[in-house]
Amino acid sequence: AQTVTQSQPEMSVQEAETVTLSCTYDTSESNYYLFWYKQPPSRQMILVIRQEAYKQQNATENRFSVNFQKAAKSFSLKISDSQLGDTAMYFCAFMKDNYGQNFVFGPGTRLSVLP
Amino acid sequence: KAGVTQTPRYLIKTRGQQVTLSCSPISGHRSVSWYQQTPGQGLQFLFEYFSETQRNKGNFPGRFSGRQFSNSRSEMNVSTLELGDSALYLCASSPRQGGSTDTQYFGPGTRLTVL
């Protein structure tokens, strides 16, 4: 079974600074997908970024980028120029393949962006 | 396109009762997955439906069941409610066509409280 670990239960960062959230996973699969979702307080979960395991290039979406290290089974999220609206729970998620549309989620990291 | 919608948004039930939650996926999406989110257990996969068939099931008792209709709308049923069933129930839809379209899009959730 796959497992996802997020070792930082809570983090804080000053507005406009950069922060990196850690995620490690355990799997024997060679083809899979990794995602970061954010869940703002009392609001619904939205996709931040996704990475296909077969792609060596790290995904980026505006201020969000990942550092995907397949051999180390590591998938960290870097948020640049942090904004107050980035305050949320961040979940790292693993999806095995196209047939199993079921995420395995990490426990989450609560990120607070401070003014 | 309208996002994933879930009804009702809030629900209060007593132990022993049963409850039905509804999810309408994004138009054109054929896969609907359900997740339970609790502070203690985090996000856990319940089941996935695709073309009216259950394709994947998580590790939950048989009291939790679901179905999908021909228009891809899905319902989830929990019978003989227990206090521990209090949770946020999230529904997510995806096109399920493989490749880059397998991202799941989440609804706002139904907050179930069992008294």
Side-chain angles (χ1 to χ4, degrees), chain A residues 11-13 19 21 79 86-90 109-113:
Chain A
M11 296 187 72
S12 62
V13 63
V19 64
L21 280 56
I79 306 174
D86 295 334
T87 294
M89 280 290 287
Y90 286 81
T109 295
R110 185 177 303 279
L111 176 67
S112 298
V113 180

Side-chain angles (χ1 to χ4, degrees), chain B residues 2-43:
Chain B
V4 178
T5 58
Q6 293 186 245
T7 57
R9 293 292 311 280
Y10 301 92
L11 208 48
I12 299 175
K13 292 286 187 179
T14 56
R15 279 184 302 173
Q17 288 187 310
Q18 75 167 22
V19 66
T20 299
L21 313 181
S22 180
C23 171
S24 293
I26 293 171
S27 177
H29 285 194
R30 299 168 64 190
S31 169
V32 174
S33 296
W34 288 89
Y35 296 85
Q36 182 195 64
Q37 186 176 22
T38 61
Q41 299 298 318
L43 280 151

Side-chain angles (χ1 to χ4, degrees), chain A residues 37 44 50 98-99 101, chain B residues 37 94 96 102-104 106:
Chain A
Y37 279 86
Q44 70 191 78
R50 62 173 278 157
N98 289 346
Y99 293 99
Q101 291 292 95
Chain B
Q37 186 176 22
S94 74
R96 215 180 191 274
D102 280 330
T103 297
Q104 292 192 358
F106 285 82

Side-chain angles (χ1 to χ4, degrees), chain A residues 1-4 25-29 32 94-96 102 104:
Chain A
Q2 288 77 31
T3 58
V4 178
Y25 57 94
D26 186 26
T27 184
S28 58
E29 302 290 329
Y32 49 87
F94 173 100
M95 181 186 292
K96 188 168 64 172
N102 51 300
V104 176

Side-chain angles (χ1 to χ4, degrees), chain A residues 11-82:
Chain A
M11 296 187 72
S12 62
V13 63
Q14 292 294 136
E15 200 175 1
E17 295 192 342
T18 296
V19 64
T20 298
L21 280 56
S22 301
C23 172
T24 58
Y25 57 94
D26 186 26
T27 184
S28 58
E29 302 290 329
S30 58
N31 188 29
Y32 49 87
Y33 300 81
L34 295 163
F35 302 78
W36 280 98
Y37 279 86
K38 66 181 279 189
Q39 189 177 39
S42 301
R43 295 180 61 187
Q44 70 191 78
M45 190 129 52
I46 59 175
L47 175 70
V48 175
I49 200 165
R50 62 173 278 157
Q51 173 83 41
E52 290 83 358
Y54 62 85
K55 290 186 177 179
Q56 293 185 340
Q57 186 173 5
N58 289 325
T60 62
E61 286 289 341
N62 301 315
R63 299 182 295 105
F64 299 88
S65 62
V66 298
N67 183 6
F68 173 48
Q69 301 289 328
K70 190 173 184 179
K73 297 180 181 176
S74 171
F75 183 61
S76 60
L77 174 69
K78 185 172 81 171
I79 306 174
S80 304
D81 185 26
S82 296

Side-chain angles (χ1 to χ4, degrees), chain B residues 61-100:
Chain B
R63 300 186 297 106
F64 292 81
S65 63
R67 59 177 175 169
Q68 187 179 34
F69 301 95
S70 58
N71 62 358
S72 293
R73 189 177 71 85
S74 177
E75 287 182 347
M76 187 192 110
N77 184 274
V78 187
S79 63
T80 318
L81 284 166
E82 301 177 359
L83 296 179
D85 297 333
S86 294
L88 180 67
Y89 289 88
L90 294 170
C91 164
S93 76
S94 74
R96 215 180 191 274
Q97 295 172 3
S100 62

